[in-house]
Amino acid sequence: MRVGYVQFGPAFGDKERNLARVGEFLGREQADLWVLPELFSTGYQFASREELAELAEPVPKGPTTQRLAALARELGCHIVAGLAERAGKALFNSAVLVGPRGFVTVYRKIHLFYRERELFTAGNVPFTPVEVAGAKVGLLVCYDHFFPEAARSLALAGAEVLAHPANLVMPGLGQMTMRVRALENRVFAVTANRVGEENRTGEPLRFTGLSQIVSPKGEVLVSSGEQGEEARVVEIEPSLARNKRINALNDLFSDRRPEFYQALTRP
Ligand code: ACM
């Protein structure tokens, strides 16, 4: 399976331009599964809830999901893309997954970061992997990386590849945690981070790039710089993620002792 990411700097509010930019990258190289950054079509720093509501779209009927599905059909690939979702009055920071046969699923970001808490509703559907081109894929969005329970839930449910659209702003942190998430769960992890800056509220944000694809041993297979737009693709063997053994006597999943992890389920 060929997995890839697009690292780029979305222009705030310019969905046409951002979709076209992504189309350029995806057309240049073949991959079975592409991952795009968080909020790739709109940009990140909304000045108000009203502005966000105007730019957010229903899923799957909204134009951005439909355009991504058309791209997936044309290229014969799957695409995971972060976008702003409107569902009735609620606004979610979501990641859609589309494929050659159309819309597959949507994940609504569960752990909201900083001012996202003033704008979005947190997702409330359990982490659930889906089958993509013979591999089980789990979706995380950005700040979810900080919660080992998120990746663990997906891995315990069978995820072999974590697809992680991101708008990381703390240099190197999410890259480090995702290597650990991959290592401790023995899964592949694809982080598509954005680059560039936004200052639409008087609080400047600098996005940190360093997108990466990591192996179940925590090795960085490919990565990008802190700046610059590019797409990277690598061939992986998802079935390697089914083997949780670290030596002849230890298996990271069957060695777990959940009966002693009681604080995890305490309110
Ligand atoms: C983030 O969750 N966008 C840092």
Side-chain angles (χ1 to χ4, degrees):
M1 177 188 213
R2 286 170 64 79
V3 294
Y5 62 73
V6 179
Q7 169 169 305
F8 84 114
F12 188 90
D14 194 346
K15 294 184 196 178
E16 271 308 316
R17 181 262 182 204
N18 297 331
L19 269 160
R21 189 85 184 113
V22 162
E24 281 169 33
F25 280 114
L26 267 52
R28 284 186 206 150
E29 211 169 345
Q30 191 275 329
D32 302 295
L33 174 66
W34 283 103
V35 184
L36 310 181
E38 178 182 16
L39 296 167
F40 90 96
S41 56
T42 57
Y44 182 80
Q45 198 178 40
F46 302 95
S48 66
R49 208 168 176 282
E50 289 66 40
E51 183 178 65
L52 166 60
E54 210 146 286
L55 286 165
E57 297 177 13
V59 171
K61 295 231 159 78
T64 300
T65 306
Q66 292 299 314
R67 292 275 295 276
L68 288 169
L71 203 53
R73 191 160 48 245
E74 183 192 324
L75 299 172
C77 65
H78 283 79
I79 305 170
V80 171
L83 52 73
E85 180 189 359
R86 191 174 63 239
K89 287 210 163 74
L91 302 167
F92 296 99
N93 184 342
S94 296
V96 294
L97 169 55
V98 298
R101 281 181 288 174
F103 173 74
V104 178
T105 193
V106 62
Y107 162 69
R108 293 166 168 172
K109 186 175 186 179
I110 285 179
H111 304 100
L112 294 177
F113 183 72
Y114 196 47
R115 295 203 180 275
E116 291 171 28
R117 300 165 68 101
E118 300 164 356
L119 297 166
F120 293 100
T121 299
N124 58 5
V125 176
F127 290 103
T128 311
V130 292
E131 183 105 11
V132 169
K136 282 205 170 157
V137 175
L139 306 186
L140 297 173
V141 175
C142 205
Y143 180 51
D144 287 330
H145 74 84
F146 250 125
F147 299 85
E149 298 90 342
R152 179 68 105 200
S153 303
L154 286 166
L156 286 173
E160 295 152 356
V161 181
L162 302 178
H164 180 221
N167 277 189
L168 293 160
V169 290
M170 298 155 109
L173 263 190
Q175 292 77 9
M176 176 164 59
T177 53
M178 287 306 286
R179 284 184 70 183
V180 176
R181 300 290 95 86
L183 174 69
E184 68 198 358
N185 292 296
R186 293 272 143 163
V187 293
F188 293 91
V190 184
T191 295
N193 195 20
R194 66 160 287 181
V195 290
E197 293 174 22
E198 285 184 6
N199 185 2
R200 309 191 61 264
T201 65
E203 210 170 358
L205 290 178
R206 188 156 202 281
F207 301 96
T208 56
L210 299 168
S211 299
Q212 65 184 19
I213 301 177
V214 182
S215 82
K217 292 187 174 167
E219 305 151 330
V220 178
L221 300 175
V222 292
S223 63
S224 296
E226 281 179 41
Q227 292 168 27
E229 300 190 326
E230 67 171 353
R232 297 296 304 271
V233 176
V234 71
E235 177 88 34
I236 62 165
E237 179 43 66
S239 65
L240 292 178
R242 288 180 210 146
N243 179 7
K244 307 300 182 187
R245 288 206 160 274
I246 53 166
N247 60 42
L249 300 181
N250 290 108
D251 178 293
L252 285 179
F253 277 18
S254 56
D255 286 349
R256 294 174 66 247
R257 307 289 306 280
E259 62 275 35
F260 297 108
Y261 305 158
Q262 52 187 330
L264 278 185
T265 50
R266 243 185 244 144

